[in-house]
Amino acid sequence: MAARPFDLVLYGATGFVGRLAAAYLAARRTRQKLRWAIAGRDATKLATLRDQLASGAAVHLPEIVVA
């Protein structure tokens, strides 16, 4: 079985609830490193969200998946 690139993919990340979930995931530190991605239809909105998440202190930034 091939290894999965991500443990979690958050689809709809640019919506209201998706933004809240992304902020929660980015701010939480876990003992195991979570490989996660934000996903949606608009790459520009996803990049903007990722930049907004980066403005927080000590966050783990996700990868971007356009679906």
Side-chain angles (χ1 to χ4, degrees):
M1 180 185 302
R4 295 180 185 180
F6 304 112
D7 298 318
L8 177 107
V9 177
L10 180 62
Y11 287 98
T14 58
F16 178 76
V17 175
R19 287 179 180 275
L20 293 175
Y24 178 86
L25 290 169
R28 300 301 180 258
R29 291 187 177 243
T30 60
R31 289 184 184 179
Q32 291 182 326
K33 193 167 191 169
L34 179 67
R35 298 172 302 160
W36 67 293
I38 52 175
R41 294 178 290 177
D42 189 337
T44 305
K45 286 183 180 180
L46 291 168
T48 301
L49 174 59
R50 186 169 184 201
D51 292 343
Q52 289 171 351
L53 293 174
S55 67
V59 297
H60 176 256
L61 294 178
E63 298 293 324
I64 293 176
V65 176
V66 178

